[in-house]
Amino acid sequence: TTCSATVIGVILNCTMGYVLSRKEYFLRDPLIYFIFVTMVFGGGMAASYVVNTQVMKLTDTMWALILPLAVSSWNCTISRTFFKSTIPDSIIESAKMDGASQLTIFAKIVLPISMTIIAVIGLYAAVGYWNAYKPGLMYIRNEELFPLQVILRELLLVNMNDMMVVGNGEVDQMRKAEQIKYGIIVVSTL
């Protein structure tokens, strides 16, 4: 899930950042304002739960793990700033004069120049998806679809509950439970 979600996130964030960096786009200023507001003020967990479960019907699907985190206002702002400050307008104007469409300009001229921002957004997205356990807890009921972080959380909580029940003579079991817990943490880090 992390790899496919990262690719989707990079595509969406870079595309949106490029569109917002172009002066000729007439909705640019309202969208930049909207993105800034969403970066400062979140909609809340209840609103996102209602939208993702009742409107988009994402319960018990892998899309529930991908779509809520796909577009990040922070990543869009970073990519917009990169495209605005790094890609010269003269390159884009010359490509337009040669008859290139906006999609061709973006795919064949802008993206090859922008590998650094693609790597940065890819890293941010991958770490965000890897560490995200809330979408798995909120939207996934089927244990077979649980992401790794939810499985690890469940194992650690069960392990912690077992340690609280341990009596005086069960110190070896407690040590084994601790070793299992640390082993799980090392495996998830790797």
Side-chain angles (χ1 to χ4, degrees):
T1 314
T2 301
C3 294
S4 59
T6 300
V7 170
I8 291 170
V10 167
I11 290 170
L12 292 176
N13 286 308
C14 285
T15 305
M16 190 167 183
Y18 175 72
V19 169
L20 294 176
S21 71
R22 301 291 87 205
K23 288 180 261 182
E24 61 268 10
Y25 184 56
F26 69 97
L27 290 176
R28 181 180 86 143
D29 291 335
L31 278 176
I32 290 173
Y33 178 74
F34 178 73
I35 289 171
F36 175 72
V37 168
T38 61
M39 190 170 15
V40 177
F41 304 106
M45 190 180 300
S48 67
Y49 182 79
V50 168
V51 167
N52 290 324
T53 57
Q54 295 178 4
V55 176
M56 296 177 63
K57 308 281 188 218
L58 295 178
T59 306
D60 278 338
T61 64
M62 294 308 287
W63 290 108
L65 304 174
I66 296 172
L67 291 181
L69 303 173
V71 178
S72 163
S73 56
W74 177 252
N75 289 341
C76 285
T77 303
I78 289 174
S79 63
R80 180 188 72 86
T81 305
F82 177 84
F83 291 133
K84 191 174 181 180
S85 64
T86 305
I87 308 297
D89 289 335
S90 58
I91 292 176
I92 294 173
E93 289 174 16
S94 64
K96 284 181 186 176
M97 288 180 156
D98 289 341
S101 66
Q102 285 292 337
L103 186 61
T104 305
I105 293 170
F106 180 66
K108 293 188 177 181
I109 297 171
V110 174
L111 283 183
I113 299 173
S114 307
M115 286 300 157
T116 55
I117 196 65
I118 291 171
V120 168
I121 291 176
L123 183 64
Y124 283 168
V127 169
Y129 279 113
W130 182 258
N131 289 332
Y133 69 94
K134 281 185 184 177
L137 285 175
M138 291 172 57
Y139 308 125
I140 305 294
R141 305 285 182 261
N142 185 358
E143 291 183 6
E144 294 175 2
L145 296 176
F146 278 166
L148 178 65
Q149 298 304 328
V150 174
I151 294 170
L152 294 176
R153 181 182 173 275
E154 295 294 323
L155 287 173
L156 292 176
L157 287 178
V158 167
N159 188 4
M160 193 174 286
N161 289 338
D162 289 344
M163 285 177 32
M164 290 181 185
V165 177
V166 169
N168 292 336
E170 300 175 343
V171 175
D172 287 338
Q173 284 184 338
M174 192 168 90
R175 284 190 186 137
K176 288 178 185 176
E178 282 287 317
Q179 290 174 349
I180 290 172
K181 181 171 78 170
Y182 294 135
I184 290 170
I185 291 171
V186 167
V187 167
S188 72
T189 303
L190 294 175

